[in-house]
Every structure is written in C-alpha cells, then in structure tokens.
C-alpha cells in the first residue's frame, strides 16, 4: 500500500508527543504523500517550525498572516487541497475547540473548512483523557464524522495505560493507508439500505412502532457512500440526517410504503442491506377519526400481517445481487438468525442481541456477529455504530472478493 500523491494536512498541537510528528512526517513522505503542517502556537513550544518545514519540504503554517509582508494563509484553500487531515498529537484543548468550533488559531479554522476526512490522534495524560469533558468532546467529534485514532495497547501496557498516549507513527500510517485502500472499493456499486422503524397508524394520532432510531442503517449508508457507492437509503421516521452527496434518501412511514419503495429500487442495485425494524403487523383498518376513550375496560385492535420486504425480494433476487439481513434477537440468537438467513435468502445476516448491553436499538453502539450462508461466523466487540458499519462492509467485501477469486480459479 502507499500514499502516493495524497495531500495530507498534519495538525500539530502543544503536547510532549509532538516529537513523534517528526517521525510521522518522514513516514508519510516516504509513502509518497505531500504533507502540509499546520501548528498551533502551543505546538511550537514543543517542536520548531524549522525542523518541521525541513522534513516536510514546505513552509509551516501557524499564523493567519505571514509576518512581514502580511500574506494571508487561506484555510479554505487548504480545506480544498487536502485529501485528508490528521491532528497528531491532539491535546484535550484542541479536541475541545474542534468539538465546539472555537476557531482561535489556524489549525481550528483549517479543521472547520476541511472538505476531506479528518483523523485525530489524542495525546494527553490518562486523567485528562478520562475526564468526562474530554470524553464528551471526543464523542462529539466522532459524531461530527472525525475518526479517532486511539493508541493500541502495547504488549506490556495495560488497557488503561495505553489510553491517552499518542498512537505510534507507524500505526497511524498503516491506518491511513488502510483508509485510502478501502475508500473507493465500492465505486460504481449501487446499494439499497432500509433503516429505522416503521409506524403503523391506528388513527390520526396513534401508531404502532418500535424503538429503532435508524442509527445503524444511517451509519451503513455513510460507510458505503464514503467508499464510493451510490446509496439508496429507505428510512422510516427518524430525526437523523445524512451528509454524503452519494446518498439518496427516501422517507417512508409504514411497512407497506417501505415495501413499495424497496421494490422500485431493488432491481437496479448490486446489494441490499435490510437494517430496518419493520413492523410485522399493522391495524387491519385505520380509524379516520381519533379513537375516543370509552367506559369499556378492554380495547382490542385487529392486526393484519405486513409484507416481508426482505423475504419477497429474496425470492426475486438475481445471482449477482447480494442481500444482507439483520436479526435482532432475545433468545436462541444464533439459531434464529441462521433460520432467518435461510428463509429470507440472505447471503449474510448480522446478529445483534438485546441481551448484550449497549447493543441493538437506540444506542450509539452495537455488538454484532456476522454469519454467512457458507457457514462462516465472525463476532465483534461492542463498538460505535460507524465502526460496526465498517466491520460489516469489510467482512462482506472480503468474503465476496475471496469467493469470486475462488470461482475464477
Ligand atoms: O435503528 P437502531 O436504533 O440503530 O437499531 C438498529 C436495529 C437494532 C434496528 C438493527 O440493528 C436491527 O437489528 N434491525 C433488524 C431488526 C429486526 O426487526 O429484525 P427481524 O428479526 O424482525 O427481521 C429480520 C430481517 O428481515 C431484518 O433484516 C428486517 O429488516 C427484515 N424484515 C423484517 C420484517 C419485514 N416485514 N420486512 C423485512 O424486510
């Protein structure tokens, strides 16, 4: 892998780990990248711009204006030039400013104007790292789309000792290479994703619904689109929004509406991921008027079954189309998931269990096991839904690539 021709903006802040940036620049350049340094005033206390400009072969940017001739550094141009920005080391102060848009130095203005993906390698002592305010800011950055590179545990370091320490430059470079290599691996692919809950109306003010927030499906949509795919995101009611221009969002309310939208879109896609929590039943008849409370102790609704979107599409799918289902289970998890995969003709099924803390509905995290039709099984730890989306797409991509290679031989 290489970083040949990649334009990388490296932000350096006031941490003792700034000495590692020198090595990071050398590694990035060795891999073929062009590196533009932006340093905060505090960063210059730890490493000199002279060293950095000699290593990067470019003037270091630290002030809004060049002293002497008043030339202005355009953070907007930098945002357009970059293929990627990485802040390494990133102090608690810089992370806080980034999370809150406090643009009082060139590094933060560059971040706010950045059009390219942003990576952040925190560096601070463990207490600062663990502080609720730092953790809140890191979470906020993640939600804003930044990628956090936490130090991996060294063989001798305990889990906590590793935290807060800046990741080693070699590992950072490997992560960036990996990022660029997967970045366009879904180019020219069309993917349909169902997400969120469905609402089945009882009367004009009430519905039958469920706790799905849409987060899992939206994370998958962002992941697929960031790898170059054209995504059709069919979503039930949710407060979430999408940011990537490759995502076409189709809003629906009920299972029947989701079914109709999916049937329209499915014939043109290469793959479909069914992450929506679709209501299995809907009221047989929706009341036109608001149902009034009566003196009767009991009230009953007659329900009728909804179409099974995934199962019906599974019947008409072409051999080149991949379908990936989800199973949200509470008991006999694996058995039920495999049964669903077979019944609905999925190539893969992603199992999440309500018995795992932090998994399933609503949370920002999920814990999944991916099962494939050819009997493979891979379990992952509890991770943010964006990381889970990455694992899901990586697994599907790797398995199908391997399968296609086998067929070619
Ligand atoms: O939205 P979040 O809050 O992030 O939560 C994510 C999630 C828990 C909703 C998600 O990870 C998940 O598990 N989605 C599927 C939940 C589910 O209802 O599964 P199921 O076992 O009922 O259905 C199996 C599969 O068939 C699913 O892929 C489902 O989308 C699909 N299905 C089910 C019923 C139906 N009528 N049509 C369908 O397409």
């Amino acid at each position: 892998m290489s970083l040949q021709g990649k334009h990388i903006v490296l932000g350096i802040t006031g941490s003792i780990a700034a000495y590692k940036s020198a090595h990071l620049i050398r590694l990035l350049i060795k891999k073929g990248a062009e590196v533009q340094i932006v340093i905060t005033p505090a960063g210059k206390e730890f490493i000199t711009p002279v060293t950095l400009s000699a290593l990067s072969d470019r003037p270091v940017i630290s002030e809004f204006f060049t002293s002497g001739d008043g030339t202005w550094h355009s953070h907007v141009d930098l945002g357009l030039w970059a293929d990627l920005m990485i802040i390494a080391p990133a102090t608690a102060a810089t992370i806080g400013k980034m999370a809150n848009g406090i643009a009082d130095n060139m590094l933060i203005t560059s971040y706010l104007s950045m059009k390219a993906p942003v990576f952040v390698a925190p560096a601070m002592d463990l207490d600062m790292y663990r502080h609720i305010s730092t953790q809140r800011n890191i979470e906020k950055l993640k939600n804003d789309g930044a990628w956090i590179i936490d130090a991996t545990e060294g063989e001798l370091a305990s889990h906590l000792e590793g935290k807060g320490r800046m990741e080693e430059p070699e590992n950072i470079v490997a992560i960036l290479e990996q990022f660029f290599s997967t970045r366009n691996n879904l180019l020219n692919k069309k993917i349909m994703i169902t997400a969120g809950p469905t609402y089945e109306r009882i009367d004009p003010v009430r519905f039958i619904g469920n706790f799905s927030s849409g987060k899992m499906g939206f994370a998958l949509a962002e992941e697929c689109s960031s790898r170059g795919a054209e995504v059709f995101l069919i979503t039930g009611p949710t407060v979430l929004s999408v940011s990537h221009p490759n995502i076409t969002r189709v809003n629906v309310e009920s299972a029947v509406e989701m079914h109709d939208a999916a049937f329209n879109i499915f014939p043109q896609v290469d793959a479909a991921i069914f992450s929506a929590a679709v209501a299995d039943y809907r009221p047989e008849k929706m009341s036109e008027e608001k149902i009034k409370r009566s003196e009767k102790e009991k009230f009953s609704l007659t329900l009728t079954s909804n179409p099974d979107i995934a199962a019906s599409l599974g019947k008409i799918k072409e051999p080149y189309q991949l379908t990936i289902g989800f199973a949200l289970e509470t008991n006999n998890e694996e058995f039920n998931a495999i049964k669903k995969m077979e019944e609905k003709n999925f190539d893969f099924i992603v199992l999440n269990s309500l018995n795992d803390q932090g998994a399933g509905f609503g949370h920002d995290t999920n814990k999944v096991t991916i099962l494939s039709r050819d009997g493979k099984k891979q379990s992952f730890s509890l991770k943010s839904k964006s990381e889970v989306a990455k694992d899901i797409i990586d697994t599907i991509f790797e398995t199908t690539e391997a399968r296609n290679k086998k067929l070619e031989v």
Side-chain angles (χ1 to χ4, degrees):
M1 281 192 275
S2 93
L3 295 169
Q4 197 56 46
K6 296 287 181 240
H7 291 173
I8 294 181
V9 172
L10 171 59
I12 300 175
T13 72
S15 155
I16 188 71
Y19 77 92
K20 291 187 185 176
S21 317
H23 187 38
L24 180 57
I25 299 166
R26 291 191 58 181
L27 292 176
L28 290 170
I29 286 181
K30 216 167 140 193
K31 291 281 181 180
E34 286 183 46
V35 182
Q36 175 61 60
I37 311 291
V38 183
I39 191 165
T40 62
K44 286 192 279 187
E45 303 288 334
F46 291 86
I47 188 161
T48 73
V50 177
T51 308
L52 297 170
S53 75
L55 288 171
S56 64
D57 207 19
R58 284 170 166 267
V60 169
I61 299 176
S62 64
E63 310 295 336
F64 291 105
F65 301 97
T66 308
S67 58
D69 64 3
T71 314
W72 182 52
H73 287 128
S74 169
H75 48 91
V76 177
D77 287 350
L78 208 54
L80 294 170
W81 175 83
D83 294 308
L84 183 144
M85 180 180 194
I86 171 157
I87 295 109
T91 57
T94 290
I95 289 172
K97 286 181 192 178
M98 289 169 72
N100 293 289
I102 301 169
D104 67 349
N105 64 44
M106 196 57 197
L107 191 151
I108 308 291
T109 50
S110 304
Y111 165 66
L112 294 178
S113 306
M114 193 47 60
K115 297 277 177 278
V118 177
F119 285 72
V120 179
M124 64 199 77
D125 76 54
L126 183 56
D127 288 328
M128 283 177 89
Y129 181 83
R130 278 201 300 209
H131 195 279
I132 180 77
S133 131
T134 310
Q135 287 303 312
R136 207 169 35 223
N137 288 330
I138 288 179
E139 273 316 301
K140 179 135 194 315
L141 281 188
K142 278 190 196 166
N143 288 335
D144 291 345
W147 305 62
I148 308 296
I149 304 181
D150 267 329
T152 48
E153 299 147 49
E155 271 184 28
L156 294 175
S158 75
H159 184 64
L160 281 180
E161 278 165 1
K163 291 281 182 192
R165 179 173 60 79
M166 184 180 131
E167 181 56 286
E168 294 308 320
E170 285 79 2
N171 294 340
I172 293 180
V173 171
I175 290 168
L176 302 188
E177 282 183 308
Q178 177 69 22
F179 172 78
F180 281 115
S181 83
T182 59
R183 193 157 170 69
N184 280 326
N185 67 4
L186 294 180
L187 207 63
N188 300 324
K189 297 279 179 225
K190 292 185 180 176
I191 300 180
M192 180 182 97
I193 298 172
T194 68
T198 62
Y199 286 2
E200 311 299 328
R201 287 186 185 230
I202 299 169
D203 70 10
V205 297
R206 303 179 181 94
F207 59 84
I208 298 173
N210 60 64
F211 295 115
S212 170
S213 61
K215 285 177 189 167
M216 192 64 252
F218 277 57
L220 283 160
E222 291 289 346
E223 182 60 30
C224 292
S225 59
S226 78
R227 293 177 187 226
E230 185 180 349
V231 175
F232 299 92
L233 176 64
I234 308 174
T235 176
T238 163
V239 293
L240 302 177
S241 53
V242 283
S243 52
H244 203 286
N246 285 3
I247 303 175
T248 304
R249 176 177 181 159
V250 181
N251 290 323
V252 296
E253 186 179 276
S254 64
V256 169
E257 284 174 18
M258 187 173 274
H259 169 270
D260 293 350
F263 259 74
N264 265 334
I265 293 167
F266 187 69
Q268 47 173 314
V269 299
D270 302 285
I273 309 178
F274 300 91
S275 69
V278 186
D280 288 316
Y281 293 92
R282 65 178 184 279
E284 192 170 47
K285 198 173 165 301
M286 181 197 143
S287 165
E288 295 299 325
E289 308 286 331
K290 181 179 170 192
I291 300 171
K292 303 278 180 306
R293 190 189 163 87
S294 78
E295 291 310 308
K296 284 192 216 147
E297 267 289 288
K298 292 194 175 156
F299 172 83
S300 57
L301 267 177
T302 305
L303 303 180
T304 185
S305 78
N306 269 328
D308 189 322
I309 307 166
S312 351
L313 292 175
K315 289 196 180 105
I316 60 160
K317 83 175 188 193
E318 300 287 345
Y320 68 87
Q321 288 182 305
L322 273 187
T323 55
I324 299 104
F326 269 74
L328 179 63
E329 301 295 337
T330 54
N331 60 308
N332 285 338
E333 286 102 332
E334 220 171 292
F335 176 81
N336 288 333
I338 291 171
K339 193 159 166 272
K340 276 179 194 167
M341 173 160 60
E342 283 163 4
E343 282 169 1
K344 303 191 190 214
N345 197 13
F346 291 139
D347 298 278
F348 296 88
I349 194 153
V350 181
L351 164 65
N352 39 192
S353 166
L354 283 181
N355 296 323
D356 289 323
Q357 243 188 359
F361 283 136
H363 307 285
D364 289 329
T365 49
N366 205 359
K367 183 169 183 298
V368 302
T369 296
I370 305 176
L371 301 151
S372 77
R373 219 29 199 283
D374 39 16
K376 293 216 173 65
K377 171 181 157 184
Q378 215 175 333
S379 297
F380 297 86
S381 57
L382 186 75
K383 297 181 179 186
S384 72
K385 281 186 174 158
S386 359
E387 287 168 302
V388 172
K390 202 169 166 339
D391 287 339
I392 293 172
I393 304 302
D394 276 345
T395 307
I396 293 164
F397 190 82
E398 279 157 23
T399 315
T400 45
E401 281 274 288
R403 195 184 297 159
N404 292 344
K405 281 215 179 90
K406 235 192 232 163
L407 288 176
E408 279 166 22
V409 174

